[in-house]
């Protein structure tokens, strides 16, 4: 499963590392400090314009002081939950459960829209339910949270609340909790429905007619070879049974176990349920390093011209090697050996023998240079592209001694160094290449249950829902309903496309122009980064003129003003995007669809980020509501 | 504003709404089984663009299009972006699904089907290292296009593309050897093509020498379906009719060539070439709309030439030597400078002289009309008619027909079909096939003997059909000839003096720029060099 960003251990992510990174805690604190300072400054400016400099200062200071001296100590969870209950009642009155009905209708008619012939229906179904849940829930909470407070203010029903001893913080937090509870209930329903939909949708079996199976091996060996029937848009062309037990080939992302029952005329070949589509593998990732063709350490492998640079390549039949260094490889975790999974890219520079896949070789190396056995025997393998290659490195393995002889060794005792070991992979054929990325090779700890992983995937949706709720409530404290809704929607879109926004911004400052060079240096924008085409105004002009992204605009005297407008606009958007969370990084559906357990480090980081975001937006909402004149 | 005026306004509005219902009904009434529907529905039916006339109606597609609320273009643009991103990231499942969504929103855009079908069958398939996976994705591309043909019934462009992929991709790709083994036994795929595409894949027309469907012949069924659609009035859009028809009738030729390459060198191969010949003749008899506004029949060349000769004779009868007389008169009017330029040898002319000579050619050209005008008064009208027809034949029909024949190499393939079905040709190829096998078994002696048996047969064929001695034949025999040369070198032998394909050999050597010494320093061709200063 390709993941293009690094996932650090939680504490490494949270806390600063000297000389390497600031850590999330410091970044959040810095962002909060900058935001607070700027916020106070802007607030003071507005207050000063309205009331004069000293009155303005007094007004701001009073609110801030009261926030910490009265509102914070006087904060009541009881009142907050009461308001939350009101928010829930309001949502139920608005018939929010219609969204669930829409969800069910989408699932009922999903088969109409889905690709029957998809090479991996498991991923398709899982992707469908998670994406549908995600989008529906976000839209629901968007409308709920953005319109609630402005409607109350417009209808004057807010007075029934503010006239009671209720603090603005309780109003804001109460709504956030209330709408989040509604969203949670909806998500729970969707999660359960999705789970059974997926199970039911993927459920299928095959039959094996006796005529489709031919005996193999010696008579009486109960070994067979054949194929299954054509069901659910596919058949398994290879069924291999030995001693009464067998397995089909991998087709459409799954396989089946096959058993032989009975004998003679009563013999039946029974195909079990599908396996491999609904899994939660627990990967243990290592750190990837490379050796170049001369055997020297290299930062990365070779580029073969692929547009997507996720993988880099090693050359076959040279000293070019990909090395994964694993830690924590201990006997209790892997009692019998090392189950591992390899996902490689293959690049051929010549056809070779196309009836055979490109051969590779693998060996284990002890990181300790003074170890008695430095490495294991070479284990050949046939590469598989776009399909996981599962290998099991037995505990009893042959190692290479100082004289180069093969000697039986124990993997844990002789080839690891305090739980660390290296796995070296090479391509064995000249002129062919293997492509790999950090997460392409991993050790498999025991599988977790698919159900738990499915749930964890929905937790990420829940976190997104929480952030959207808090954003919506925040905007609704100072904007009208439709504007708050637009603002929240824009935040979601920017959150999803933050990478693209950064690329557009970076692309606007490419070129030899002195000013552009200055901005590049100021923001640390690399050369030739970003996408061409300019900002929204320039893009609009290009669309009208049907000009491509790289041609000169030739606007004459309007060129500069247009550029400056774009720069100004994009600067604001760029800074705003910096404050928003990257919603794409909250999307854990890939883990669920690819059958990889959601990493606890990732989930923890997401939870901390989301809660921090909710805290900050609630705080902003509190101050806006506090200073708002509701009677106006 | 009082209640009366409000009520009056409401009455007026209601009346207007009621009145507007009539034109709305007249324009927008949908067609049903019992009625032609409103004006718009009738226009759609006349133009053949009603949804039901285009192809199958898919409720999912209609629902999705409605659900976009007029933003179908935006949705489609986003989906295309996603598809490109998934392709870049080699996420084939999501690519397949996204493409599926795109065509739900654009079911009647032929170019979308063509583009994505090609994308799946060609671009995505080659990303896989295992040929079996490549085969699966070529099938996916084909299935995709077959699905497109259901949404766009009898669209010649789609039908052509399906035939093209089944023929070319399965039959000529790098993996064609493997694909051609997998295709005939892929019953699930055959069933899918038959059920969804309504082609007679189990008919004898689709079966190869092993009795199973052959990809080239199945492709031909699809092309044929396209031709039927064209005959029924469907537009070819931007496709050339000549290319369309020639591709159709090349399939049997491709099939025959391929089965020989695979070792079927007996009466089955002969039969295949016979059928190919019949098909090519059928192509020659077809009326092909040309870009010049008239139809062309490729087989008519001989007939047109005969007609031209006959008319020229009859014109000559009416005009009796007028052509020569007119030419002499025109020559007499040339200037001295022009005469001088004409006298200079072509290789010695300067550029101005070249231009002058070109001008002189146009000046002294005698048109048929000029000849006809010299006829007697009583025959002049008839002579002028003959002259007009003769000019049309010489400058239009003959030229265009020959040009179209040249475009598709019609003569070469006709000759090839005629020759390949002969026993000599089959034997020649059989010996070549044996020679290749002996080479694979590292048995150069046996390979040499087989090669030489083959050359004898080829020589006999060339003697019977001297027109065979051309660039295409040389290209065809180039690889075996070079292998033979290599075998001779390995055996330390010289190419015999009476090498039966010496002419072909020389043509090959010259066409590929092979120096004499590289082939055989002692070859008869080399020995003749000493007497040939031009060769030096």
């Amino acid at each position: 499963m390709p993941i293009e960003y690094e996932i650090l251990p939680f504490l490494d992510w949270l806390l600063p590392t000297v000389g390497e990174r600031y850590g999330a805690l410091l970044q959040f604190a810095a962002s909060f400090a900058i935001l607070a300072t700027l916020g106070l400054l802007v607030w003071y400016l507005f207050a000063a314009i309205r009331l004069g400099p000293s009155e303005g200062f007094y007004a701001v200071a009073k609110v801030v002081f009261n926030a910490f001296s009265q509102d914070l100590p006087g904060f009541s969870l009881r009142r907050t939950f009461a308001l939350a209950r009101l928010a829930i009642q309001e949502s139920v009155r608005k018939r929010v459960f219609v969204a669930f009905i829409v969800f069910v209708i989408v699932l009922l008619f999903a088969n109409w829209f889905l690709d029957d012939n998809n090479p991996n229906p498991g991923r398709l179904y899982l992707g469908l339910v998670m994406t549908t849940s995600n989008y529906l829930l976000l839209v629901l909470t968007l409308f709920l949270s953005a319109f609630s407070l402005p409607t109350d203010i417009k209808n004057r029903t807010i007075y029934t609340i503010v006239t009671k001893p209720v603090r603005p913080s309780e109003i804001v937090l109460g709504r956030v909790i209330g709408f989040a509870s509604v969203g949670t209930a909806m998500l729970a329903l969707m999660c359960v429905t999705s789970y059974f939909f997926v199970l039911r949708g993927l459920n299928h079996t095959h039959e094996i007619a006796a005529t489709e199976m031919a005996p193999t091996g010696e008579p009486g060996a109960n070994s067979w070879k054949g194929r299954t029937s054509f069901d659910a848009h596919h058949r398994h062309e290879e069924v291999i049974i030995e001693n009464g037990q067998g397995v089909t080939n991998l087709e459409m992302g799954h396989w089946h176990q096959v058993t032989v029952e009975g004998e003679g005329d009563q013999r039946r070949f029974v195909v079990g349920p599908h396996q491999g589509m609904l899994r939660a593998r627990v990967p243990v990732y290592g750190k990837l390093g490379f050796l170049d063709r001369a055997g020297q350490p290299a930062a990365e492998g070779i580029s073969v011209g692929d547009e997507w640079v996720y993988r880099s390549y090693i050359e076959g039949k040279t000293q070019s090697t990909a090395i994964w260094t694993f830690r924590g490889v201990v006997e209790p975790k892997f009692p019998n050996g090392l189950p591992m999974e390899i996902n490689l890219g293959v690049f051929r520079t010549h056809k070779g023998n196309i009836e055979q896949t490109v051969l590779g070789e693998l060996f284990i190396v002890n990181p300790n240079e003074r170890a008695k056995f430095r490495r294991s025997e070479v284990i050949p393998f046939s590469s598989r592209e776009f399909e996981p290659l599962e290998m099991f490195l037995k505990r009893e393995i042959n190692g290479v001694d100082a004289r180069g002889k093969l000697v039986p060794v124990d993997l844990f005792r002789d080839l690891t160094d305090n739980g660390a070991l290296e796995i070296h992979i090479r391509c064995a054929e000249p002129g062919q290449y293997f492509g790999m990325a950090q997460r392409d090779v991993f050790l498999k700890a025991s599988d977790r249950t698919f159900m738990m992983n499915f749930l964890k995937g929905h937790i990420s949706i829940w976190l997104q829902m929480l952030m959207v709720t808090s954003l919506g409530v925040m905007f609704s404290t100072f904007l009208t309903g439709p504007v708050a809704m637009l603002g929240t929607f824009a935040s979601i879109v920017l959150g999803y496309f933050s990478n693209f926004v950064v690329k557009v911004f970076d692309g606007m400052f490419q070129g030899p122009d002195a000013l552009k060079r200055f901005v590049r240096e100021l923001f640390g924008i690399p050369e030739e980064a970003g996408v061409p085409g300019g900002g929204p105004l320039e893009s609009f002009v290009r669309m009208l003129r049907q000009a491509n992204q790289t041609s000169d605009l030739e606007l004459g005297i309007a060129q500069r003003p247009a550029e400056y407008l774009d720069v100004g606009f994009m600067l604001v958007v760029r800074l705003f995007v910096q404050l928003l969370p990257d919603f794409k990084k909250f999307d854990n559906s890939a883990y669920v669809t690819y059958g990889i357990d959601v990493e606890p480090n990732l989930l923890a980081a997401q939870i901390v980020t989301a809660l921090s975001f909710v805290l900050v937006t609630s705080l902003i909402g509190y101050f806006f509501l506090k200073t708002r004149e509701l009677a106006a | 504003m009082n209640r009366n005026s409000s009520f009056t306004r409401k009455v007026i509005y209601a009346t207007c709404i009621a009145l507007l219902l009539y034109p709305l009904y007249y324009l927008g009434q949908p067609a049903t089984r019992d009625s032609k529907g409103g004006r718009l529905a009738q226009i759609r039916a006349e133009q053949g663009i009603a949804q039901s006339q285009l192809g199958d109606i898919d409720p999912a597609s209609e629902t999705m299009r409605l659900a976009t609320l007029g933003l179908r273009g935006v949705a489609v643009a986003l989906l295309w972006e996603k598809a490109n991103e998934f392709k870049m990231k080699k996420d084939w499942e999501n690519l397949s699904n996204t493409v599926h969504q795109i065509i739900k929103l654009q079911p009647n855009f032929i170019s979308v089907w063509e583009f994505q079908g090609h994308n799946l069958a060609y671009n995505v398939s080659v990303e896989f290292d295992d040929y079996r996976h490549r085969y699966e994705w070529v099938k996916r591309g084909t299935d995709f296009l077959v699905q497109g043909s259901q949404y766009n019934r009898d669209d010649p462009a789609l039908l052509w593309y399906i035939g093209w992929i089944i023929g070319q991709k399965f039959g000529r790709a790098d993996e064609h050897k493997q694909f051609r083994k997998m295709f005939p036994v892929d019953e699930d795929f055959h069933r899918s093509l038959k059920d969804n595409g309504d082609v007679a894949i189990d008919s004898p027309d689709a079966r190869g020498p092993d009795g199973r469907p052959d990809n080239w012949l199945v492709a031909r069924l699809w092309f044929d379906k396209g031709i039927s659609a064209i005959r029924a009035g469907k537009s070819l859009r931007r496709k050339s009719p000549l290319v369309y028809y020639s591709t159709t009738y090349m399939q049997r030729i491709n099939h025959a060539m391929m089965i020989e390459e695979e070792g079927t060198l007996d009466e089955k191969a002969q039969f295949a070439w016979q059928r190919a010949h019949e098909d090519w003749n059928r192509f020659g008899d077809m009326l092909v709309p040309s870009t010049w506004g008239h139809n062309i029949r490729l087989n008519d060349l001989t007939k047109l030439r005969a007609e031209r000769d006959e008319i020229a004779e009859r014109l000559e009868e009416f005009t009796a030597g007028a052509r020569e007389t007119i030419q002499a008169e025109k020559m007499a009017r040339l200037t001295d400078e022009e005469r001088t330029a004409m006298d200079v040898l072509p290789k010695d002319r300067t550029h101005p002289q070249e231009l002058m000579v070109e001008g002189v050619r146009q000046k002294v050209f005698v048109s048929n009309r000029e000849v006809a005008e010299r006829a007697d008064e009583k025959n002049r009208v008839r002579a002028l008619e003959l002259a007009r027809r003769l000019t049309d034949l010489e400058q239009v029909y003959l030229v265009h027909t020959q040009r179209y024949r040249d475009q598709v190499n019609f003569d070469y393939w006709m000759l090839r079909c005629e020759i390949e079905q002969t026993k000599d040709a089959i034997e020649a190829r059989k010996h070549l096939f044996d020679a290749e096998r002996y080479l694979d078994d590292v048995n150069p002696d046996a390979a040499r003997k087989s090669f030489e048996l083959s050359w004898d047969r080829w020589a006999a064929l060339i003697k019977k059909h001297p027109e065979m001695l051309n660039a295409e034949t040389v290209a065809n025999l180039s690889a075996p000839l070079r292998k033979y040369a290599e075998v001779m070198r390995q055996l330390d032998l010289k190419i015999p003096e009476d090498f039966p394909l010496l002419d072909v050999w020389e043509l090959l050597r010259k066409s590929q720029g092979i120096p004499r010494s590289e082939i055989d320093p002692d070859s008869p061709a080399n020995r003749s060099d000493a007497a040939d200063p031009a060769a030096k």
Side-chain angles (χ1 to χ4, degrees), chain B residues 271-450:
Chain B
F271 179 67
W273 278 111
Q274 276 168 16
R275 297 297 305 272
H277 188 218
E278 283 165 15
D279 253 16
W280 201 243
N281 243 329
R282 202 170 291 134
F283 170 47
D285 287 338
M286 283 184 81
L287 269 178
V288 180
S290 76
T291 48
W292 298 287
H294 61 95
N295 292 338
I296 288 177
R297 196 176 266 127
L298 298 181
N299 273 343
D300 277 354
L301 189 69
T302 314
K303 194 176 87 176
L304 289 170
R305 280 183 183 149
E307 189 187 342
R308 179 206 51 196
D309 293 341
E310 192 204 327
I311 291 176
E313 234 178 80
R314 282 164 61 193
L315 186 62
E316 184 62 23
E317 280 169 20
F318 284 136
T319 55
R323 193 179 293 278
E324 291 78 14
T325 310
I326 296 168
Q327 188 154 59
E329 286 167 11
K330 287 188 176 187
M331 290 288 290
R333 285 199 289 273
L334 292 176
T335 64
D336 289 337
E337 212 177 12
E338 285 168 338
R339 270 182 235 281
T340 311
M342 291 285 289
D343 289 338
V344 174
L345 283 174
K347 62 181 175 67
D348 296 329
R349 281 179 197 150
T350 60
H351 183 61
Q353 284 175 331
E354 290 277 356
L355 292 173
M356 201 172 290
V357 164
E358 194 51 45
V360 164
R361 285 205 185 104
Q362 288 177 23
K363 274 187 188 175
V364 303
F365 172 74
V366 179
S367 69
N368 295 321
R369 186 184 166 82
E370 287 170 325
V371 170
E373 279 167 357
R374 295 286 178 106
D376 297 335
E377 222 173 290
K378 65 175 176 17
N379 292 325
R380 192 166 301 149
V381 170
R382 184 77 187 111
L384 283 169
E385 274 174 20
L386 288 172
R388 197 167 28 244
R389 178 64 186 157
L390 186 61
T391 306
D392 279 347
L393 281 170
E394 283 175 342
Q395 292 180 10
V396 176
Y397 297 109
L398 277 168
V399 169
H400 294 168
T401 306
Q402 185 62 60
R403 219 176 267 179
Y404 262 28
R405 283 167 74 107
D406 290 342
Q407 268 190 45
V408 298
N409 224 352
F410 185 80
D411 297 319
Y412 168 74
W413 288 114
M414 186 64 87
L415 179 67
R416 180 97 186 252
C417 289
E418 283 167 10
I419 290 171
E420 292 279 4
Q421 58 182 288
T422 60
K423 271 206 152 45
D424 272 338
I426 299 287
E427 286 296 313
R429 292 230 178 255
K430 189 167 181 318
H431 290 307
L432 275 182
F433 185 80
D434 289 340
E436 293 278 355
R437 264 193 312 122
Y438 289 132
L439 279 177
D440 289 341
D441 293 338
V442 196
N443 188 347
D445 270 319
R448 180 182 68 85
K449 286 182 184 129
S450 291

Side-chain angles (χ1 to χ4, degrees), chain A residues 39-57:
Chain A
L40 284 170
L41 211 62
V42 170
W43 187 6
Y44 170 68
L45 275 169
F46 276 100
I49 290 167
R50 273 184 56 216
L51 304 168
S54 54
E55 280 295 320
F57 177 81

Side-chain angles (χ1 to χ4, degrees), chain B residues 162-181:
Chain B
I162 296 169
W164 179 262
I165 291 181
I166 294 177
Q168 292 291 322
K169 189 60 180 170
F170 286 118
R172 284 218 203 286
D174 278 350
E175 311 84 5
H176 70 271
K177 283 192 180 139
Q178 289 76 20
F179 285 174
R180 277 185 55 82
K181 281 184 196 154

Side-chain angles (χ1 to χ4, degrees), chain A residues 314-322 344-347 358-362 381 383 424-436:
Chain A
I314 54 172
E315 189 180 345
K317 210 71 180 169
T318 64
Q319 292 188 61
S320 196
T321 312
L344 294 176
V346 178
F347 183 80
V358 175
L359 297 173
E361 51 194 31
L362 173 159
F381 64 88
S383 64
H424 290 223
I425 292 181
R426 286 183 185 164
C427 176
E429 292 190 26
Q432 318 292 26
Y433 291 71
F434 280 164
M436 47 265 295

